[in-house]
Amino acid sequence: MKVLQDFPLPEIRPYIDWSPFFMTWELKGKYPKIFDDALVGEEAKKIYDDANALMDQVIADGSLKANAAYAFWPAASDGDDVILYTDESRSTELSRFHFLRQQWERKGQKDYRSLADYIAPVDSGRQDYIGGFVVTAGIGADELAKKFREELDDYKAIMVQAVADRFAEAFAELLHERARKDWGFGQNEGLDKDELISEKYRGIRPAAGYPACPDHTEKRTLFDLLDAENNTGVELTSSYAMYPGAAVSGLYFGHPESRYFTVDRMTKDQIEAYAKRKGKPLSEIEKWLSPNLAYEPE
C-alpha cells in the first residue's frame, strides 16, 4: 500500500480537466473553446481566472490539503465476485468485491458484462491483480468555505468547493497514472495531459455507486482494505457518501479490453443471488439497488 499525505497541489494542478468546472456554474462548453463562445465566453473566462486565483491562494497558505491511499492485491474472479488474497501464495482469502452483471440486450452488444470479467478466473492458472484507491483534495475545504460565508462572500464559498472538486478529480488522474506505472504496463505510455483526460490509456477505474458497479455499499470493503479513514481523512457517511465531498474512490482494472459500461436494470433472480453472495437480507440489497430493479419489491 502507498499512502500520500499533504501531496503538493502544484503537482496535481496540471492534471485538471476544466470542462466539468464550468458545468458547476451552468455554463455549457468545453475548455478552452468555451472562452470563444459569444454568449458565455466572457463569464467563463472570469470564473476561470477567479478559480486560478483561489488555487494560487490555497497553495500559498496551505488551506487545502490532498491525501491519498492506493494498493494492489493478488486477485481472481469467482463468478461475479473478485477474490482478494493476502499474499502471492494466493492461499488465504483477504476479502471480496461483489459485482453485478448486465441483463438487457443492447444494440450491437453480444455479451453481458460484469466487472469480474476483467479479472482472470480462479481456475485459470493466471496470476492477476486488482487495485483500489481513495483520494481527496478537500481537507480544509469546509472550513475555508465557512470562512468566506461568514464574510458574506457566497461566491468564494462555492468556488472553494468547485476548486477542491477539480483538485480531487485531477489527483485521481495523477494517481491512476502512477498506479499504471507501478503495475508495469504504464511505463511507456507517453501520453500528454489531454490524452490522459481523454482516457487513452489501458485500464479503467470504476467507482462503487456508478453505472458499472451501482452498489454504494461496496465502498466499505475498499475503505477497510485501505484503512482510508486514517490514511486519507475521508469518511463514509451512513448513506455511503464520502466526506469531505471533494473525494474520489474506485478500483483499478488493468485488463487491456476493460472499459466502462452500465449494468442498468436487473431481475429479481440476480438480486437474490447477489444478496446471498454478500450475506445480506434481500430487503437491504433492494433498498440500495432500488434504481436498478426491474421489478417491484414485495
Side-chain angles (χ1 to χ4, degrees):
M1 183 188 304
K2 294 191 177 181
V3 177
L4 307 172
Q5 294 185 333
D6 200 7
F7 193 86
L9 294 180
E11 291 188 32
I12 299 173
R13 197 171 185 172
Y15 289 80
I16 290 176
D17 178 5
W18 282 101
S19 294
F21 168 79
F22 298 107
M23 299 177 192
T24 303
W25 306 94
E26 298 183 353
L27 301 177
K28 293 183 179 180
K30 287 191 174 182
Y31 172 84
K33 291 182 179 180
I34 191 172
F35 298 146
D36 298 323
D37 189 282
L39 293 176
V40 302
E42 185 176 346
E43 185 178 359
K45 186 64 167 63
K46 178 186 180 302
I47 64 169
Y48 172 79
D49 289 343
D50 290 345
N52 277 279
L54 183 59
M55 286 182 176
D56 291 339
Q57 177 185 327
V58 300
I59 287 171
D61 64 21
S63 52
L64 283 187
K65 295 190 182 301
N67 300 330
Y70 72 105
F72 297 97
W73 301 276
S77 62
D78 178 18
D80 289 334
D81 286 352
V82 171
I83 306 169
L84 281 62
Y85 297 102
T86 56
D87 56 40
E88 292 292 348
S89 72
R90 299 170 185 260
S91 59
T92 304
E93 183 173 323
L94 172 65
S95 188
R96 285 188 180 224
F97 287 113
H98 306 281
F99 298 118
L100 293 153
R101 185 169 295 278
Q102 293 175 319
Q103 290 186 270
W104 302 108
E105 187 172 355
R106 291 159 178 78
K107 186 176 181 180
Q109 181 174 317
K110 298 179 180 179
D111 55 2
Y112 299 86
R113 295 182 177 88
S114 165
L115 287 173
D117 296 342
Y118 301 138
I119 301 294
V122 68
D123 58 357
S124 68
R126 296 180 59 191
Q127 294 189 336
D128 209 345
Y129 300 84
I130 193 171
F133 70 96
V134 175
V135 307
T136 181
I139 306 299
D142 285 351
E143 293 79 3
L144 185 56
K146 180 181 178 183
K147 173 181 173 290
F148 286 133
R149 284 194 296 271
E150 289 172 347
E151 295 171 356
L152 304 181
D153 194 338
D154 289 341
Y155 173 68
K156 271 197 173 180
I158 296 170
M159 185 65 78
V160 167
Q161 301 295 346
V163 162
D165 285 344
R166 286 302 88 214
F167 271 130
E169 294 288 349
F171 199 8
E173 195 67 74
L174 180 157
L175 201 68
H176 196 184
E177 182 182 55
R178 286 193 172 197
R180 293 191 302 276
K181 290 178 179 177
D182 290 346
W183 214 327
F185 58 77
Q187 293 287 351
N188 301 309
E189 281 182 341
L191 302 178
D192 62 28
K193 295 303 182 286
D194 288 338
E195 288 172 321
L196 287 175
I197 290 170
S198 299
E199 299 174 351
K200 300 295 185 183
Y201 44 76
R202 169 179 161 180
I204 56 174
R205 56 172 190 270
Y210 282 78
C213 180
D215 183 1
H216 282 278
T217 69
E218 287 292 299
K219 288 178 196 164
R220 184 69 265 167
T221 301
L222 175 62
F223 270 60
D224 289 345
L225 286 164
L226 293 173
D227 192 14
E229 285 87 351
N230 289 321
N231 286 329
T232 69
V234 181
E235 300 177 355
L236 288 179
T237 69
S238 60
S239 61
Y240 293 93
M242 291 180 289
Y243 179 84
V248 185
S249 65
L251 300 174
Y252 293 136
F253 290 83
H255 194 294
E257 295 180 11
S258 60
R259 67 177 182 81
Y260 297 102
F261 59 87
T262 299
V263 168
D264 207 0
R265 309 278 277 181
M266 293 167 287
T267 57
K268 191 172 184 178
D269 58 342
Q270 180 171 189
I271 301 301
E272 288 175 336
Y274 184 70
K276 186 175 182 180
R277 282 192 280 134
K278 285 177 70 81
K280 299 290 184 181
L282 177 62
S283 59
E284 182 179 336
I285 298 299
E286 288 174 333
K287 180 186 78 170
W288 290 110
L289 291 174
S290 59
N292 297 87
L293 302 182
Y295 64 96
E296 289 293 332
E298 297 178 3

